[in-house]
Amino acid sequence: MDCLFCKIIAGDIPSDIVNEDEKLIAFRDINPQAPTHVLIIPRQHIATLNHLDVDDGELIGHMTLSATTLAKEMGIADSGYRLVWNCNREGGQDVFHIHLHLLGGRTMHWPPG
Ligand code: 5GP
Ligand code: ZN
């Protein structure tokens, strides 16, 4: 499958992995938008959030808890951080394998751009 993140999972494209388990991997974004910018992705290829079904709730919860654990380990939990899911073109999605952005280490602004 011609998917960038599946190639990262397979090890065909190198990445700076910060955590991994049987369900997911987490690695640093190549073009960080904050001092800490990690992507958490499922090993299973799911193209967009619109492709999730009711059985994926556990996976999504696991990804979220992985992000909050990483935030603590990376020292941004108390100062604050942002978790972002982009979906499809107007949502700002460029890679069509779902991923959760963990951003921190600076003040975030609202509304988002
Ligand atoms: P999206 O815009 O789809 O929500 O986010 C995709 C993210 O993947 C972007 O923040 C982009 O910088 C990151 N990215 C794209 N290609 C690579 C890559 O080859 N390696 C890593 N580590 N991140 C990538
Ligand atoms: Zn994929």
Side-chain angles (χ1 to χ4, degrees):
M1 188 185 299
D2 191 25
C3 169
L4 177 68
F5 286 175
C6 282
K7 288 176 183 163
I8 285 178
I9 290 163
D12 295 339
I13 294 175
S15 64
D16 185 358
I17 294 173
V18 295
N19 186 43
E20 61 181 320
D21 65 22
E22 70 283 357
K23 295 281 186 203
L24 60 77
I25 74 167
F27 53 95
R28 293 188 190 277
D29 197 292
I30 203 167
N31 183 24
Q33 300 302 309
T36 298
H37 188 174
V38 170
L39 302 173
I40 297 108
I41 71 172
R43 290 188 185 276
Q44 178 189 354
H45 179 86
I46 301 170
T48 80
L49 294 179
N50 294 333
H51 293 80
L52 292 169
D53 65 40
V54 287
D55 294 337
D56 293 320
E58 194 173 328
L59 174 65
I60 297 304
H62 181 58
M63 291 174 68
T64 303
L65 290 172
S66 173
T68 62
T69 300
L70 277 171
K72 290 172 191 157
E73 291 173 358
M74 294 179 145
I76 56 172
D78 289 342
S79 52
Y81 57 89
R82 185 169 288 176
L83 299 182
V84 176
W85 295 99
N86 294 328
C87 183
N88 276 338
R89 184 175 55 86
E90 290 195 2
Q93 185 175 8
D94 289 324
V95 179
F96 286 83
H97 178 133
I98 62 167
H99 46 280
L100 178 57
H101 295 259
L102 166 62
L103 297 143
R106 66 167 171 85
T107 299
M108 300 293 161
H109 303 286
W110 198 265

